[in-house]
C-alpha cells in the first residue's frame, strides 16, 4: 500500500519546509525532493515512497514557459494550438533534469529496502494543460484539436509520449523500483476517442519502459468506462478511482493485471468507524483481483488529518499480515 500525494500538502512538516518556496523550485532542489519524499515514509506504515515531483517538471525542463500558481494549478504562458507551437517542444535529455537523478540516487540510498516509485504525467493530461493554457473543466480546446486537427494532435501526443518516456527512464536509471503514469484527466474522453487518439501513445510509453524491468502502474480520474482500454495499454497495474468498486473493476480489466485503489479520499474526513468500514470493504473487494495495491482513489486532500492516514495505514498492514 501507498497513498497518492502521500508526499506533502497535508503534512505540517511539508508545509514548513515549503514555506516561501515555489512548487517548481522545490521540485528542482535535490535536498527538498529527498526530504519531502521521506517525510510520509517516516510517518506512515506504507510499503513504498513516491518520488516528490510534478507532472509539469519535464515541460519546464525543456523550456516551456509555465508556472504552478497556488490555488489555480499549472499555467502556460504560450499555449500550443498550431504547428508553430508544437515546434517549441524539444526532446528531454538526462542533462535537463540532473536534480532528478541526484535526488533519486539519494533516496535509494536512504530508503534501503523500501521501493521508490517514479512517475510522470500521461500524454492526454499534459496536452490538455499545454493547449488550454491551464486547468480546464471541459477540455474544449483540447478536444477541438483532437477532433478537428488529428494530424497535429497525433504529432503533439507523440512528442509528449517521448517526453514521458525520457522522464521515466531517467528515474529508473537512477534507481526507481517502479513507475506510475498519471493521466489524470483522460477520463474526459469517450472509449472510442481513447482507443483512436490516446491509446496508441500510452501503449508506446509502456512498451518502451517494459525492457527496464520495473512494474508499471497506469492511473486516471473518472476512467471507469476506460478501465479495460487502460489495461490494454500495457501497464502491469491499473489504478481505479473511487467511483468503481474493485470487484467491478476486475470484470472490466483484462486478466493478468493487478489493481490499485480505491478508497475515496473524502472518506478520511468521516469518523474512524466509517473509515475503517469503508477501508475493509475496499480490501474485501480487492481480494477478487489477481493482485491489489491498496491506495486512495485519488490524491490525499490538503486538509486531511495525518493521524487518520496513519491509522488507515496501520489497519491495512494489519489486515494484510492477518492473511499471510
Amino acid at each position: 500500500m501507498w497513498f497518492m500525494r502521500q508526499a506533502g500538502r497535508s503534512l505540517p512538516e511539508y508545509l514548513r519546509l515549503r514555506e516561501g518556496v515555489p512548487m517548481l523550485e522545490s521540485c528542482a532542489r535535490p535536498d527538498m525532493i529527498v526530504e519531502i519524499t521521506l517525510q510520509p515514509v517516516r510517518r506512515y506504515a506504507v510499503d513504498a515512497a513516491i518520488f516528490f515531483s510534478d507532472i509539469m517538471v519535464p515541460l519546464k525542463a525543456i523550456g516551456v514557459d509555465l508556472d504552478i500558481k497556488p490555488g489555480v494549478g499549472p499555467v502556460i504562458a504560450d499555449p500550443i494550438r498550431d504547428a508553430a507551437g508544437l515546434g517549441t517542444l524539444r526532446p528531454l535529455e538526462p542533462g535537463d533534469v540532473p536534480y532528478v537523478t541526484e535526488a533519486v540516487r539519494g533516496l535509494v540510498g536512504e530508503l534501503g529496502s523500501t521501493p521508490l516509485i517514479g512517475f510522470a504525467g500521461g500524454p492526454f493530461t499534459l496536452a490538455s494543460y499545454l493547449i488550454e493554457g491551464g486547468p480546464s473543466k471541459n477540455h474544449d480546446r483540447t478536444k477541438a484539436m483532437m477532433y478537428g486537427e488529428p494530424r497535429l494532435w497525433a504529432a503533439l501526443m507523440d512528442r509528449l509520449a517521448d517526453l514521458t518516456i525520457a522522464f521515466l527512464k531517467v528515474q529508473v536509471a537512477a534507481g526507481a523500483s517502479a513507475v506510475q503514469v498519471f493521466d489524470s484527466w483522460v477520463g474526459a474522453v469517450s472509449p472510442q476517442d481513447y482507443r483512436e487518439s490516446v491509446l496508441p501513445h500510452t501503449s508506446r510509453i509502456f512498451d518502451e519502459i517494459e525492457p527496464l524491468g520495473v512494474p508499471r502502474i497506469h492511473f486516471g480520474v473518472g476512467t471507469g468506462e476506460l478501465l479495460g482500454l487502460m489495461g490494454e495499454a500495457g501497464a502491469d497495474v491499473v489504478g481505479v478511482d473511487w467511483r468503481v468498486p474493485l470487484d467491478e473493476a476486475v470484470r472490466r480489466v483484462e486478466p493478468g493485471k493487478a489493481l490499485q485503489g480505491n478508497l475515496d479520499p473524502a472518506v478520511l474526513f468521516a469518523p474512524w468507524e466509517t473509515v475503517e468500514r469503508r477501508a475493509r470493504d475496499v480490501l474485501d473487494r480487492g481480494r477478487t483481483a489477481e493482485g491489489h495495491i491498496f491506495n486512495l482513489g485519488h490524491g490525499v486532500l490538503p486538509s486531511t488529518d495525518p493521524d487518520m492516514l496513519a491509522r488507515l495505514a496501520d489497519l491495512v498492514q494489519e489486515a494484510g499480515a492477518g492473511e499471510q
Side-chain angles (χ1 to χ4, degrees), residues 91-168:
L92 178 78
E93 302 292 339
D96 295 320
V97 285
Y99 44 87
V100 171
T101 298
E102 182 180 342
V104 171
R105 287 175 177 168
L107 281 164
V108 171
E110 293 274 355
L111 288 165
S113 61
T114 301
L116 175 67
I117 303 171
F119 82 95
F124 178 87
T125 300
L126 295 177
S128 178
Y129 282 124
L130 285 172
I131 296 167
E132 304 290 343
S136 172
K137 288 185 178 180
N138 299 314
H139 310 277
D140 46 333
R141 290 181 180 272
T142 306
K143 290 184 177 182
M145 183 187 292
M146 183 175 70
Y147 295 139
E149 300 181 82
R151 289 186 179 179
L152 179 61
W153 171 260
L156 175 59
M157 291 288 278
D158 267 339
R159 295 204 183 189
L160 294 175
D162 287 340
L163 188 74
T164 294
I165 291 164
F167 194 51
L168 291 175

Side-chain angles (χ1 to χ4, degrees), residues 254-286:
E254 63 185 4
K257 307 289 182 181
L259 298 182
Q260 176 179 279
N262 70 338
L263 185 70
D264 186 340
V267 168
L268 292 164
F269 295 93
W272 170 248
E273 293 73 17
T274 301
V275 176
E276 180 178 11
R277 176 171 53 82
R278 293 291 189 117
R280 291 191 185 279
D281 182 65
V282 170
L283 289 166
D284 289 342
R285 294 175 188 273

Side-chain angles (χ1 to χ4, degrees), residues 118-121 161-173 176-181 201-217 233-236:
F119 82 95
D162 287 340
L163 188 74
T164 294
I165 291 164
F167 194 51
L168 291 175
K169 283 184 173 181
V170 166
Q171 295 171 66
V172 174
S177 301
V179 295
Q180 173 162 302
V181 174
H201 310 283
T202 308
S203 295
R204 186 162 67 83
I205 293 170
F206 291 122
D207 286 347
E208 294 262 357
I209 299 302
E210 183 179 19
L212 303 182
V214 298
R216 300 154 297 163
I217 309 169
D236 306 289

